[in-house]
Amino acid sequence: MIDYRIDRGGGVPAYVQIVEQTERALRMGFLKVGDKLPTAKEVVAATAINPNTVLRAYRDLEQAGLVELRRGLGTFVTRSLARPGAEDDSPLRRELGDWVARARAEGLERADVLAMVTAALDTHDTAHDSRAPQDRARTKEDA
Amino acid sequence: MIDYRIDRGGGVPAYVQIVEQTERALRMGFLKVGDKLPTAKEVVAATAINPNTVLRAYRDLEQAGLVELRRGLGTFVTRSLARPGAEDDSPLRRELGDWVARARAEGLERADVLAMVTAALDTHDTAHDSRAPQDRARTKEDA
Amino acid sequence: MIDYRIDRGGGVPAYVQIVEQTERALRMGFLKVGDKLPTAKEVVAATAINPNTVLRAYRDLEQAGLVELRRGLGTFVTRSLARPGAEDDSPLRRELGDWVARARAEGLERADVLAMVTAALDTHDTAHDSRAPQDRARTKEDA
Amino acid sequence: MIDYRIDRGGGVPAYVQIVEQTERALRMGFLKVGDKLPTAKEVVAATAINPNTVLRAYRDLEQAGLVELRRGLGTFVTRSLARPGAEDDSPLRRELGDWVARARAEGLERADVLAMVTAALDTHDTAHDSRAPQDRARTKEDA
DNA sequence: GTGGTCTAGACCACT
DNA sequence: GTGGTCTAGACCACT
């Protein structure tokens, strides 16, 4: 069962956080087709957000074609976003684990790691002319 | 000069995106103490958001002690968040660049990469009892 | 400006009625790209439903790619559903107008007309093997 | 035997769809006094909705004076809504069939046809000052 | 002033 | 007991 963590006061709406965390779990294969999401009540108990907010997020996920809300039954995953390369035992994942361990050991914070990865993605995608590199801030120095 | 990218319709407020992208640039050393942020007018020209929204973000950054708004002059970086390990020529950064290139070559999307990194951070931090692992979704299977 | 009519107590949710009426106006060309939908406040004044309910409908329309909600500005049509054959001066439309006039003159109610059209669509689509004839009730006699 | 089609996820409650489809069949004369509605069990088998939902709809139809629930026997039509002009071989119906065939041949979708008919009804009823034109969206341009 | 989020609570639909 | 709609009202984001 996925376990949502809501960061209040970070400016990102709670329902967006639920949607993003769910999509992340789908990409990682932590959630599979047929899996049940926690009920609104369970999320409320764990996060202290309002059930309506949970349902708002679930509705968004439904419209994205990822889950199905069944009245009286619950909310179920209907589509996977799992990626071959992201598997538990893939070399890619093992190497990333090593890299993260070293980064943390060198004193880098979670936010530093995320900043580095975002920058690395920007650099790579810019160099390879990839489309739609959204959520990106570049500096002229990149040019 | 930092070049903000605003993703409208993603649910994350525009001012939050500016704050986050600025902090990321500070962590990466793309922005240094004394650097000037773009004027509200420049950001407006580049992103089509309202100048008040830009100023709202700059005020947040000022309250965080990262920049200073000097009336008539502009907004200037007053504090760095740069990290030793995150330098341009650090092994950590070079290795990450390689890893990202391979991940992309294997067909992983930007969102897949970010999901993997978030999961790797969660796994590492959980194993090492690190504090405040915000913005995280775990599954019971992690336990 | 479109003028919504909400039928409370008919069992159909108010936000669904707004969505359907908007889509109908788009198909008929009554609403064109760039047109502004009434503000939530205006709809509230005209229909006595809650602004949140209006926004819920507008959000649905946005996710369907038909309108864009611009904070501080309003809600605007971004895509047309207008059909060539449905134009104001098309023969099809003129003939339908005549037919409706005769049907009403013969004492048929609005609901009778709608029932007849639905049945005619079912009969035609079944005979021509058309796909996805949703919202249809057939009788075995059709077979 | 009437054959209900339930559109889940369209926002309209399942029991409302059953009621509407039944009324439509009554108006068209597809269902006549004395006819038996399918048992809840049969509807369940055909539509995968819960028997209680079917019974809820039948109870609504009973309260509207259209059917009678006889325990152990089934649900039977007690009142017709059939209209003289809506008969199978009426000119009105034949002409409508032709019109629908042409509309479909010109590429209009089911929803386009329904939108056109609704608009034609609105136009006619507005011009002739008819009562209670519910479920209608008009534009100022109509005036 | 416009839309956007969130809450608390009522009541409904469905299993 | 599950999700679904709607409300009233507070507060926020954006123009």
Side-chain angles (χ1 to χ4, degrees):
Chain A
M1 182 75 89
I2 191 169
D3 176 19
Y4 298 111
R5 306 294 169 113
I6 303 306
D7 175 25
R8 345 259 303 176
V12 180
Y15 82 89
V16 172
Q17 296 183 48
I18 292 180
V19 168
E20 288 178 345
Q21 290 176 24
T22 307
E23 287 187 347
R24 226 142 56 203
L26 288 168
R27 283 180 191 280
M28 296 302 293
F30 294 157
L31 282 177
K32 299 169 193 57
V33 169
D35 280 357
K36 189 175 184 290
L37 295 190
T39 65
K41 203 177 170 186
E42 286 166 343
V43 177
V44 166
T47 64
I49 64 178
N50 189 285
N52 285 333
T53 301
V54 182
L55 291 177
R56 160 74 200 270
Y58 284 4
R59 229 183 284 127
D60 279 14
L61 288 165
E62 183 173 49
Q63 279 183 308
L66 300 174
V67 309
E68 189 182 2
L69 282 69
R70 294 198 218 144
R71 252 199 273 232
L73 292 178
T75 302
F76 300 86
V77 174
T78 53
R79 201 178 113 211
S80 170
L81 293 175
R83 288 286 175 161
E87 281 140 28
D88 216 351
D89 56 351
S90 73
L92 228 36
R93 196 142 145 204
R94 194 173 33 70
E95 289 161 21
L96 177 62
D98 292 348
W99 184 89
V100 163
R102 251 176 311 131
R104 293 300 252 143
E106 289 200 21
L108 295 182
E109 293 171 10
R110 194 180 170 85
D112 293 317
V113 168
L114 258 3
M116 286 179 77
V117 173
T118 302
L121 280 166
D122 285 349
T123 301
H124 180 271
D125 293 354
T126 302
H128 295 73
D129 189 35
S130 168
R131 288 306 88 200
Q134 73 209 34
D135 183 34
R136 185 200 314 188
R138 273 184 303 189
T139 64
K140 284 281 163 54
E141 293 157 36
D142 291 354
Chain B
M1 182 73 87
I2 190 170
D3 175 20
Y4 299 111
R5 306 292 169 115
I6 304 304
D7 175 24
R8 313 169 82 77
V12 180
Y15 85 93
V16 172
Q17 296 182 50
I18 292 180
V19 169
E20 288 179 345
Q21 290 175 23
T22 306
E23 289 187 346
R24 227 143 53 203
L26 288 168
R27 285 179 190 280
M28 296 302 294
F30 294 158
L31 283 176
K32 299 170 192 56
V33 169
D35 280 358
K36 188 172 183 292
L37 295 190
T39 64
K41 204 175 167 184
E42 287 165 342
V43 178
V44 166
T47 64
I49 66 177
N50 191 284
N52 288 328
T53 301
V54 183
L55 293 177
R56 158 74 199 268
Y58 285 4
R59 249 178 273 122
D60 278 15
L61 287 165
E62 187 173 45
Q63 278 196 312
L66 299 174
V67 308
E68 188 182 5
L69 280 70
R70 299 198 210 137
R71 290 194 69 168
L73 292 176
T75 303
F76 300 87
V77 173
T78 54
R79 200 177 113 213
S80 170
L81 292 175
R83 287 287 174 159
E87 281 140 29
D88 214 350
D89 56 352
S90 73
L92 228 35
R93 193 139 146 208
R94 193 173 35 68
E95 288 160 21
L96 177 61
D98 292 347
W99 185 88
V100 163
R102 248 172 316 129
R104 293 299 252 146
E106 287 200 22
L108 296 183
E109 294 171 10
R110 194 179 171 86
D112 294 317
V113 168
L114 258 5
M116 285 179 78
V117 173
T118 302
L121 280 165
D122 285 350
T123 301
H124 180 271
D125 293 357
T126 302
H128 295 73
D129 190 34
S130 166
R131 289 306 86 201
Q134 77 207 30
D135 184 33
R136 187 200 312 188
R138 274 183 303 190
T139 64
K140 285 281 165 54
E141 294 157 36
D142 292 354
Chain C
M1 184 72 90
I2 189 171
D3 175 20
Y4 298 111
R5 307 295 169 111
I6 304 304
D7 174 25
R8 348 255 307 174
V12 180
Y15 83 89
V16 172
Q17 296 182 48
I18 292 180
V19 169
E20 288 178 344
Q21 289 175 23
T22 307
E23 287 187 346
R24 231 148 44 206
L26 288 168
R27 284 180 190 280
M28 296 303 294
F30 294 158
L31 282 177
K32 299 168 193 56
V33 169
D35 280 357
K36 189 174 184 290
L37 295 191
T39 66
K41 203 178 169 185
E42 286 166 344
V43 177
V44 165
T47 65
I49 65 178
N50 189 284
N52 285 333
T53 301
V54 182
L55 292 177
R56 159 77 199 267
Y58 284 5
R59 229 183 284 128
D60 278 15
L61 288 165
E62 184 173 49
Q63 279 182 310
L66 300 174
V67 309
E68 189 182 3
L69 282 69
R70 294 198 218 144
R71 252 198 274 232
L73 292 178
T75 303
F76 301 86
V77 173
T78 54
R79 201 177 111 213
S80 170
L81 292 175
R83 287 287 174 159
E87 281 141 29
D88 215 351
D89 56 350
S90 72
L92 228 35
R93 195 142 145 204
R94 193 171 34 69
E95 289 160 21
L96 177 61
D98 292 348
W99 184 89
V100 163
R102 249 174 315 130
R104 293 299 252 145
E106 288 201 20
L108 296 183
E109 292 170 11
R110 194 180 171 86
D112 293 318
V113 168
L114 258 4
M116 286 179 78
V117 173
T118 301
L121 280 165
D122 285 349
T123 300
H124 179 272
D125 292 355
T126 301
H128 295 73
D129 189 35
S130 167
R131 286 307 85 200
Q134 74 208 33
D135 182 35
R136 186 201 311 188
R138 273 184 304 190
T139 64
K140 284 282 164 54
E141 295 159 34
D142 291 356
Chain D
M1 184 74 88
I2 190 169
D3 175 19
Y4 298 111
R5 305 293 168 114
I6 303 305
D7 176 23
R8 311 167 84 77
V12 180
Y15 83 93
V16 172
Q17 296 182 50
I18 292 180
V19 169
E20 288 178 344
Q21 289 175 24
T22 307
E23 288 187 347
R24 229 146 49 206
L26 288 167
R27 283 180 191 280
M28 296 302 294
F30 294 157
L31 283 177
K32 298 169 193 59
V33 170
D35 279 358
K36 188 172 183 291
L37 295 190
T39 63
K41 204 176 168 184
E42 285 165 343
V43 177
V44 166
T47 64
I49 64 179
N50 190 285
N52 288 329
T53 302
V54 183
L55 293 178
R56 159 72 199 269
Y58 285 3
R59 249 179 274 120
D60 278 16
L61 287 165
E62 184 172 46
Q63 278 196 310
L66 300 173
V67 308
E68 187 181 7
L69 280 71
R70 298 196 211 139
R71 291 194 69 167
L73 292 176
T75 303
F76 300 87
V77 174
T78 53
R79 199 177 114 213
S80 170
L81 293 175
R83 286 288 173 159
E87 282 140 28
D88 214 350
D89 57 351
S90 74
L92 228 35
R93 195 141 146 207
R94 194 174 34 70
E95 288 161 20
L96 177 62
D98 292 347
W99 185 89
V100 163
R102 250 174 313 130
R104 294 299 252 144
E106 286 200 22
L108 296 183
E109 292 169 11
R110 196 179 169 85
D112 294 317
V113 168
L114 258 4
M116 285 180 77
V117 172
T118 302
L121 280 165
D122 286 348
T123 301
H124 180 272
D125 293 355
T126 301
H128 295 73
D129 189 35
S130 166
R131 288 307 89 201
Q134 76 208 31
D135 183 34
R136 185 199 318 189
R138 274 184 303 189
T139 65
K140 285 281 163 53
E141 295 158 34
D142 291 357

